[in-house]
Amino acid sequence: MINVLVELARCEEERQDTRHRLAGDRARLEFLAELGQECAEDAVEAEGEAARSRASLRNQETRIAELETALVRKRAQLAAAGEAKQRQALEREIAALQERIDRDFEEYCRLSGETEHRRDDADRARTDRDDRRLQEDREREAILARRGLLEAAAAEIEQEIARLQDLLPDQIRRHLERLWSKGLQAVVTVSGQACGGCFALLTPQQAIAADQGKDLVRCPSCSRFVVHPPWQ
Ligand SMILES: [Zn+2]
């Protein structure tokens, strides 16, 4: 019976490890999805900024073209004007227009540089997003392939645990089930003089009994079965 429990402890250890790895993979998949989402959002945002920048640049172009049209008109009026007073007024208007065009052109140059930056940012964000997607796809594939193996292993362990459980007396089986229903490992190995489950110290007699496989030992603190490691 103790040999069966030793074997159960090993299976439970494996079951724990398999569950842990499956949970780790699930968390990694979630993290990858979140990261991918973040990169996609960044790319959309950068593309939006680039589009806004391009629109401002086009508006500025239109504004300057309108001012230049007005300037041409005023110059034509000046050429046709006879009176000195009218000519002076037109000259002032032309000077003011010219000044505005110069200022708007400066702003145009600034916007042009900004548009270029934003376009580069958007390109970079798109590349990041695409790289991330590729990497994510590769990693997800590897994880899914591994998950198939882990799930098969988990099913095998469950079968083995059920087989071992059937070899045990009812009373012990019921106790195992009670512990399992609480999500606990039911059979643990002795660790020095302590229970390998809750690390409470066993009595010296219990530690020796567990170590030598002489008696069925239950941890006084957590009530798990405590056995020696399988290699002993
Ligand atoms: Zn314990």
Side-chain angles (χ1 to χ4, degrees), residues 43-232:
V44 168
E45 198 179 311
E47 185 46 57
E49 299 250 7
R52 272 192 292 283
S53 208
R54 279 197 301 275
S56 302
L57 188 65
R58 274 198 305 274
N59 284 342
Q60 190 68 1
E61 257 170 4
T62 311
R63 201 157 36 236
I64 291 171
E66 281 164 4
L67 288 171
E68 277 171 346
T69 308
L71 186 63
V72 169
R73 208 166 45 235
K74 291 291 169 193
R75 279 185 177 144
Q77 284 173 7
L78 180 62
E83 270 180 54
K85 215 171 154 187
Q86 198 193 355
R87 291 179 63 85
Q88 277 171 4
L90 281 167
E91 274 165 3
R92 274 198 300 277
E93 279 181 56
I94 287 170
L97 270 174
Q98 192 62 62
E99 217 175 284
R100 270 191 68 189
I101 290 172
D102 288 347
R103 256 202 325 269
D104 280 3
F105 186 70
E106 256 176 52
E107 174 64 5
Y108 173 83
C109 292
R110 191 193 66 77
L111 279 172
S112 176
E114 188 186 278
T115 304
E116 231 169 273
H117 273 302
R118 298 266 190 251
R119 191 197 55 214
D120 290 348
D121 286 349
D123 285 348
R124 243 193 317 277
R126 257 195 310 275
T127 310
D128 277 356
R129 179 201 59 197
D130 295 344
D131 288 353
R132 161 67 30 209
R133 269 186 192 157
L134 267 181
Q135 201 190 330
E136 189 190 326
D137 286 349
R138 270 199 298 271
E139 205 176 332
R140 178 178 294 114
E141 242 173 76
I143 288 175
L144 291 180
R146 182 168 61 217
R147 179 150 83 186
L149 294 176
L150 282 174
E151 277 170 352
E156 245 175 68
I157 294 166
E158 289 304 330
Q159 268 180 12
E160 180 62 5
I161 286 176
R163 188 186 71 80
L164 292 168
Q165 205 188 342
D166 278 346
L167 301 174
L168 295 166
D170 282 352
Q171 197 200 346
I172 290 181
R173 271 166 51 179
R174 276 198 299 276
H175 187 64
L176 291 175
E177 276 159 13
R178 261 199 302 279
L179 288 162
W180 285 334
S181 73
K182 292 183 204 160
L184 297 174
Q185 206 169 317
V187 192
V188 295
T189 50
V190 60
S191 169
Q193 298 239 324
C195 159
C198 70
F199 301 106
L201 271 185
L202 304 171
T203 65
Q205 295 92 319
Q206 280 181 316
I208 289 166
D211 214 38
Q212 299 182 346
K214 276 186 182 156
D215 249 331
L216 192 57
V217 175
R218 263 168 68 172
C219 168
S221 172
C222 69
S223 88
R224 289 176 173 101
F225 292 109
V226 185
V227 295
H228 61 75
W231 56 86
Q232 207 158 300

